[in-house]
Amino acid sequence: MDAVLLMGGGLLGLMASIAVEGDFIVGSALLFALTARSFGLRALPADLAIGAGLGLVIFLTFNKLLSHGFSE
């Protein structure tokens, strides 16, 4: 499968997950795993776990920044 289609599918999955009030972390894991697959990695469970971890860190960071602002 074409690498661009895999990355585009991951991005659409992330947007669809957010649009249906799904989970940002799940969508991020899907995006990471499909992007990793487009670069040739074939360890889907590990890629999903790494993507979920990164998504969690990003979510918590933005949640903290948006709820408390930049002044603290």
Side-chain angles (χ1 to χ4, degrees):
M1 202 176 240
D2 190 31
V4 176
L5 290 176
L6 279 172
M7 285 188 275
L11 185 58
L12 286 174
L14 173 62
M15 292 188 310
S17 176
I18 294 170
V20 297
E21 298 191 22
D23 195 1
F24 173 80
I25 298 168
V26 172
S28 296
L30 179 64
L31 174 62
F32 185 87
L34 289 177
T35 302
R37 172 124 341 189
S38 72
F39 282 102
L41 298 176
R42 299 287 179 228
L44 186 61
D47 294 336
L48 286 171
I50 293 168
L54 290 172
L56 179 64
V57 169
I58 292 167
F59 174 78
L60 292 175
T61 301
F62 277 99
N63 191 34
K64 172 98 172 126
L65 289 174
L66 292 174
S67 65
H68 297 293
F70 294 99
S71 63
E72 294 185 349

